[in-house]
Amino acid sequence: MRRRPIRQRVGDLWHARDGKLTQLLERAPGGFGLGQVPRARVPDSTTTLVCGYCSTGCALTAHLRSGSAVNLTPTVDYTVNRGMACPKGWEALTPLGAPDRATMPLLRNASGVLEEVRWPTALDRLVRRFRAIQDAHGPASVAFIGTGQLPIEELAFLGTLAKFGMGMVHGDANTRQCMATAVTAYKETFGFDAPPYTYADLEESDLLVFVGANPCIAHPILWERVVRNQRQPEIVVVDPRRTETAQAATRHVAIRPQSDLDFFYAVAHVLCREGWIDRDFIAAHTTGYGAFAAHVAAFTPAAVADRCGVSADAIEQLAHLVHTRERVSFWWTMGVNQSHQGVRTAQALIALALMTGNIGKPGTGANSITGQCNAMGSRLFSNTTSLIGGHAWDDPAARAKVARVLGVDDARIQAKPGLAYDQIFAAIARGDIRGLWIVGTNPAHSWINQRDARELLARLDFLVVQDMYTSTDTVKLAHLVLPAAGWGEKDGVFINSERRLGVIKQVRRAPAQALSDFRIFQLVADAWGCGELFARWRSPEAVFGMLKELTRGQPCDLTGVGGYQDLDGDGGVQWPVPAGTYVERGAERRLFADGRFFTPDGRARFVFEAPRPPAETVRAPFPFTLLTGRGSASQWHTETRTAKSEVLRRLAPAAEHVELNPDDAARLGIGPTDWVRVSSRRGSVELRAFLTRAVPRGSVFAAMHTVKTNVLTFAAFDHYSRQPAYKHCAVAVEKIDPPG
Ligand SMILES: Nc1nc2c(c(=O)[nH]1)N[C@H]1C(S)=C(S)[C@@H](COP(=O)(O)OP(=O)(O)OC[C@H]3O[C@@H](n4cnc5c(=O)[nH]c(N)nc54)[C@H](O)[C@@H]3O)O[C@H]1N2
Ligand SMILES: Nc1nc2c(c(=O)[nH]1)N[C@H]1C(S)=C(S)[C@@H](COP(=O)(O)OP(=O)(O)OC[C@H]3O[C@@H](n4cnc5c(=O)[nH]c(N)nc54)[C@H](O)[C@@H]3O)O[C@H]1N2
Ligand code: SF4
Ligand SMILES: [Mo]
């Protein structure tokens, strides 16, 4: 990678304090608006770091006083966000100072109360309890669940420590809840988990089709990039709800829930029927088109229109748009991934891009938008679904390479990935898993069918939860709580949706005895007695060096990236960067420009299957479909962080509510602010009604941010990815008197 010439290294000069600041002002007179800032308020220095919430991966400029961040502003000179940020980014420092921060380890005492203990006691207890469980029930009886919200160095540490150091066999992460479908879909079609796009494609496309994605709420700065598109694009949103994004789009297809697969097969049918396909591309770069065309022959628009709740004409029109627009891009998020047939639906979108040659060119692609800040890093380095570095567990050569680079005995590396998240819960139910280490996720709120999940977590012999806060629903079930530093309090690398690496940095000191996850893993390794294996894991940057080496020769090759300094404030860099590659500063790079995919024969595959009905049927006495998802741009998941900011709370809805179509409400005698009971076969919750035509008749919508939502959800999974189907279950709604 090319190093930036020194005169552009303004961020670094700014980072240097006091005396150097004058030097900066001389070099950039009036730059950054400093000219208007009264002298006394000029911050000591600034530095940039990537945001710790969503996968957009905006860069934020931290304004430091005496080395500690006092404010954040969006970084102007960064490829991704170009001076923009959403409210979560602006407010990201506030949650660090919340009163419920975990500041000391907590251990459950004999009377069942969590009490503060010192680190040596906490580590000793972790080791003794996990070892005792493993001695009695085998190494596989202790497992871990991680996250997509830690930097790659920490995710790699957890995955290798647990599996190669502590002998665990099973480990998964909240990325299963989120991205497993896209991973599986890409691996089967492209031969590697490789989202092909760059954000510039949002600006360079003539037709953007968003499927089950609500970027106005979930990826606001990506939506800003769409708004910058100068090509008068058609923007089609396929979503049962008339979301904020659907309202801003040029067309909304209000598809019936869980009918996407029929719908897109019908679009493919029209393209085949009319010959609106790219024969040369199909012949040169794909396999399986003939069988796919035969498969979609039965999916005439007339045959599927009713099932999809749209007119046959709407299907014909979308196919026509795909044909007539030069650059077509398909974008999908959780409305696709979180379905019982998510993988096949994602692959239907990939098929549409392949059959029309819309891949590898500006403004095209079949593009999965990731969720968490480092879900993409988790996919490559967490050592769960893939062997660390994006390798296959069953590939002996890959195992030998990992063993060599990490200095692990290759007999320690198992030949398969271990159980998926839901299978770990099933193993807890059977008594096969009895110890669990949860890091950076809150399943007692976020897992599907929460009642069962909590019951199983409570059944564990020993549950360790490593979190920033003491008040989360999962922490409340823990035997041992390890206090973690958060984003802004530690260093590392995140990978965003478009495969771009960016750095996070310590700009604040973690409170009291909270430690970075990296440091906690070092301490656990030592306490477990496998510290020697991690002797080279001295710092996040040292680990980054090893992770780069692990990617050598892989599609995600990073061997050409230097150290953190090369990524820092430099616009980041997208993988791949093989050694010796020259990458322009802040460049936008997409994959497959040469039509070569990562499959053994270099061709992309058409993968398809007959659609199936959802696992739970919607009918009386549970006549409504419950849709779930993100509620507002200022709320993040289980709200352990965002609810700590008064600004963000004010931007969010005032009450936990369920959205209901006014016609349904009228039928049930429910008025605009009435209280309702929403029930499913799993349980019932009480929420405020919010009447809106954004929700179609027959469906209701509840945000995932309230802990109540997953009381209702039904634990169904995509067969291939094991991702939970959060977007569909059957519920009843009735009016009740206001509670208490
Ligand atoms: N503000 C905010 N931003 C976030 C997050 C957050 O918590 N808060 N979380 C981040 C994470 S981890 C993720 S994964 C992303 C999620 O980002 P998105 O996937 O965009 O968000 P969701 O609201 O979960 O789901 C998207 C849409 O799927 C629709 N949907 C439901 N059922 C169907 C269906 O059968 N077919 C179709 N086509 N659509 C359907 C829903 O109506 C919803 O509007 O957001 C990220 N960004
Ligand atoms: N009904 C329904 N349920 C859903 C979804 C849906 O659409 N509908 N979406 C699903 C999706 S896509 C996702 S991604 C999941 C998200 O679900 P979770 O991962 O459970 O949600 P978060 O609130 O992000 O949890 C992160 C936890 O890590 C802690 N934390 C933050 N930073 C750090 C750190 O640096 N170190 C440590 N150790 N801890 C830290 C936080 O305090 C918090 O407790 O929810 C899923 N659940
Ligand atoms: S869009 Fe995402 S990455 Fe950008 S500031 Fe908001 S939460 Fe952070
Ligand atoms: Mo997610």
Side-chain angles (χ1 to χ4, degrees):
M1 249 186 84
R2 195 170 68 102
R3 292 281 280 268
R4 214 166 6 140
I6 194 74
R7 71 190 148 72
Q8 286 178 18
R9 302 186 73 93
V10 171
D12 294 344
L13 285 177
W14 244 16
H15 193 35
R17 269 183 243 134
D18 305 329
K20 295 267 178 65
L21 184 61
T22 332
Q23 192 186 352
L24 165 73
L25 289 171
E26 280 164 12
R27 279 170 189 270
F32 305 91
L34 267 177
Q36 289 85 50
V37 181
R39 197 81 192 145
R41 282 177 47 216
V42 172
D44 283 0
S45 61
T46 67
T47 187
T48 54
L49 69 171
V50 171
C51 177
Y53 286 106
C54 90
S55 63
T56 302
C58 299
L60 302 171
T61 300
H63 301 260
L64 311 173
R65 177 155 293 158
S66 307
S68 179
V70 291
N71 199 5
L72 295 171
T73 52
T75 306
V76 175
D77 188 21
Y78 194 71
T79 317
V80 170
N81 53 314
R82 304 169 188 179
M84 301 178 283
C86 83
K88 295 187 296 301
W90 284 94
E91 268 295 286
L93 289 177
T94 309
L96 299 179
D100 61 341
R101 280 299 299 269
T103 53
M104 291 279 289
L106 302 173
L107 184 64
R108 201 167 291 282
N109 65 19
S111 33
V113 178
L114 284 172
E115 68 180 9
E116 291 189 355
V117 293
R118 290 165 44 78
W119 269 105
T121 312
L123 293 164
D124 174 69
R125 195 56 65 97
L126 180 149
V127 170
R128 278 201 288 131
R129 293 303 307 270
F130 278 168
R131 273 199 189 284
I133 293 170
Q134 285 185 325
D135 288 346
H137 305 281
S141 59
V142 176
F144 68 97
I145 290 183
T147 181
Q149 297 179 60
L150 302 184
I152 53 176
E153 299 80 355
E154 295 185 345
L155 296 173
F157 210 149
L158 175 61
T160 47
L161 169 61
K163 287 195 168 174
F164 305 156
M166 299 165 78
M168 293 186 206
V169 177
H170 307 300
D172 204 358
N174 66 3
T175 35
R176 181 75 64 175
Q177 292 160 291
C178 185
M179 298 317 304
T181 289
V183 172
T184 309
Y186 279 139
K187 280 186 179 169
E188 288 181 2
T189 50
F190 293 166
F192 195 77
D193 174 20
Y197 64 100
T198 190
Y199 291 159
D201 290 321
L202 295 163
E203 294 163 353
E204 295 174 5
S205 191
D206 299 313
L207 167 63
L208 299 99
V209 185
F210 287 95
V211 187
N214 189 10
C216 286
I217 294 296
H219 300 91
I221 303 307
L222 287 192
W223 183 255
E224 292 298 327
R225 299 284 301 263
V226 175
V227 170
R228 288 175 176 227
N229 186 315
Q230 298 291 314
R231 301 174 65 93
Q232 307 287 322
E234 283 279 358
I235 304 171
V236 179
V237 170
V238 181
D239 193 309
R241 295 192 302 138
R242 191 164 167 74
T243 59
E244 295 77 359
T245 311
Q247 289 173 39
T250 59
R251 292 168 195 238
H252 174 211
V253 181
I255 196 173
R256 183 164 290 153
Q258 300 306 315
S259 67
D260 301 64
L261 194 52
D262 288 282
F263 179 80
F264 290 110
Y265 284 160
V267 174
H269 170 98
V270 177
L271 295 171
C272 290
R273 186 193 72 203
E274 299 297 329
W276 292 338
I277 56 173
D278 186 336
R279 288 176 209 287
D280 295 343
F281 186 87
I282 292 170
H285 303 299
T286 70
T287 50
Y289 175 71
F292 177 71
H295 172 75
V296 298
F299 292 81
T300 63
V304 307
D306 276 358
R307 262 201 309 275
C308 299
V310 300
S311 66
D313 199 38
I315 298 170
E316 299 277 352
Q317 277 179 29
L318 180 55
H320 189 254
L321 272 181
V322 171
H323 172 58
T324 50
R325 292 292 169 137
E326 192 189 330
R327 301 169 171 185
V328 180
S329 54
F330 299 90
W331 308 83
W332 82 84
T333 320
M334 291 308 119
V336 171
N337 282 358
Q338 293 172 342
S339 159
H340 68 290
Q341 51 190 1
V343 172
R344 293 297 178 248
T345 306
Q347 288 168 335
L349 297 173
I350 293 169
L352 289 172
L354 292 175
M355 70 197 286
T356 55
N358 274 300
I359 196 130
K361 292 178 265 191
T364 66
N367 306 329
S368 144
I369 307 174
T370 296
Q372 306 167 76
C373 46
N374 198 26
M376 287 282 289
S378 171
R379 285 150 75 162
L380 291 178
F381 294 111
S382 65
N383 214 28
T384 55
T385 44
S386 297
L387 173 61
I388 188 164
H391 297 95
W393 288 94
D394 61 4
D395 175 357
R399 293 203 299 274
K401 171 184 170 190
V402 170
R404 178 177 49 77
V405 174
L406 297 184
V408 185
D409 177 359
D410 61 0
R412 283 187 179 228
I413 306 181
Q414 63 221 35
K416 48 181 195 201
L419 298 176
Y421 206 135
D422 69 299
Q423 296 164 332
I424 289 177
F425 271 118
I428 297 172
R430 289 195 306 272
D432 293 344
I433 288 179
R434 290 159 178 267
L436 192 64
W437 185 6
I438 294 180
V439 180
T441 184
N442 187 9
H445 175 136
S446 61
W447 187 246
I448 199 160
N449 187 357
Q450 193 184 94
R451 192 190 52 193
D452 285 3
R454 287 181 180 216
E455 203 259 309
L456 291 171
L457 291 175
R459 205 189 280 186
L460 289 160
D461 292 347
F462 201 59
L463 172 62
V464 179
V465 179
Q466 188 164 315
D467 203 287
M468 290 171 67
Y469 300 101
T470 54
S471 58
T472 80
D473 288 294
T474 308
V475 160
K476 285 177 195 155
L477 299 169
H479 297 102
L480 175 67
V481 182
L482 301 180
W487 172 91
E489 297 168 342
K490 57 189 181 179
D491 299 338
V493 169
F494 284 167
I495 308 180
N496 78 354
S497 277
E498 49 161 6
R499 313 180 316 281
R500 187 178 301 276
L501 283 72
V503 283
I504 62 162
K505 290 179 199 161
Q506 181 170 15
V507 293
R508 279 278 185 94
R509 199 183 172 285
Q513 295 197 17
L515 298 175
S516 71
D517 294 282
F518 193 90
R519 183 72 190 124
I520 297 174
F521 300 140
Q522 282 180 323
L523 292 173
V524 172
D526 285 340
W528 192 270
C530 60
E532 213 168 291
L533 195 59
F534 297 94
R536 284 188 295 146
W537 298 55
R538 283 182 309 277
S539 67
E541 194 159 6
V543 172
F544 183 62
M546 286 188 277
L547 299 184
K548 285 191 306 185
E549 192 50 38
L550 281 171
T551 63
R552 188 179 290 279
Q554 286 284 89
C556 57
D557 196 324
L558 295 171
T559 47
V561 180
Y564 288 171
Q565 220 184 3
D566 282 303
L567 300 171
D568 186 12
D570 218 1
V573 66
Q574 289 161 293
W575 63 255
V577 192
T581 315
Y582 168 80
V583 180
E584 185 75 36
R585 173 172 189 247
E588 301 247 16
R589 300 154 70 224
R590 62 184 65 77
L591 302 176
F592 311 132
D594 58 359
R596 277 201 69 75
F597 294 86
F598 300 122
T599 49
D601 62 3
R603 288 161 174 269
R605 301 190 190 108
F606 286 89
V607 186
F608 51 88
E609 193 176 335
R612 276 174 297 164
E616 191 177 39
T617 308
V618 177
R619 61 162 175 254
F622 299 101
F624 287 94
T625 301
L626 174 68
L627 306 171
T628 71
R630 275 75 201 155
S632 76
S634 55
Q635 291 167 290
W636 181 258
H637 294 163
T638 72
E639 289 241 77
T640 66
R641 288 192 278 166
T642 41
K644 307 293 158 53
S645 153
E646 193 183 340
V647 175
L648 296 181
R649 278 203 310 275
R650 278 169 187 249
L651 292 171
E656 294 179 337
H657 63 268
V658 59
E659 295 180 14
L660 193 64
N661 185 284
D663 297 342
D664 288 330
R667 213 165 28 83
L668 298 169
I670 297 167
T673 56
D674 282 345
W675 281 85
V676 293
R677 180 176 297 120
V678 186
S679 318
S680 76
R681 290 185 178 85
R682 276 69 59 197
S684 66
V685 297
E686 295 176 358
L687 292 160
R688 261 277 162 70
F690 182 83
L691 309 190
T692 167
R693 296 210 178 271
V695 178
R697 284 194 296 274
S699 291
V700 299
F701 173 82
M704 64 162 302
H705 312 300
T706 164
V707 70
K708 295 174 180 176
T709 298
N710 281 321
V711 170
L712 304 166
T713 46
F714 177 69
F717 301 88
D718 179 278
H719 177 71
Y720 303 98
S721 68
R722 308 285 335 146
Q723 178 158 346
Y726 284 111
K727 296 285 189 262
H728 187 274
C729 75
V731 295
V733 182
E734 62 183 317
K735 182 176 164 173
I736 54 166
D737 293 333

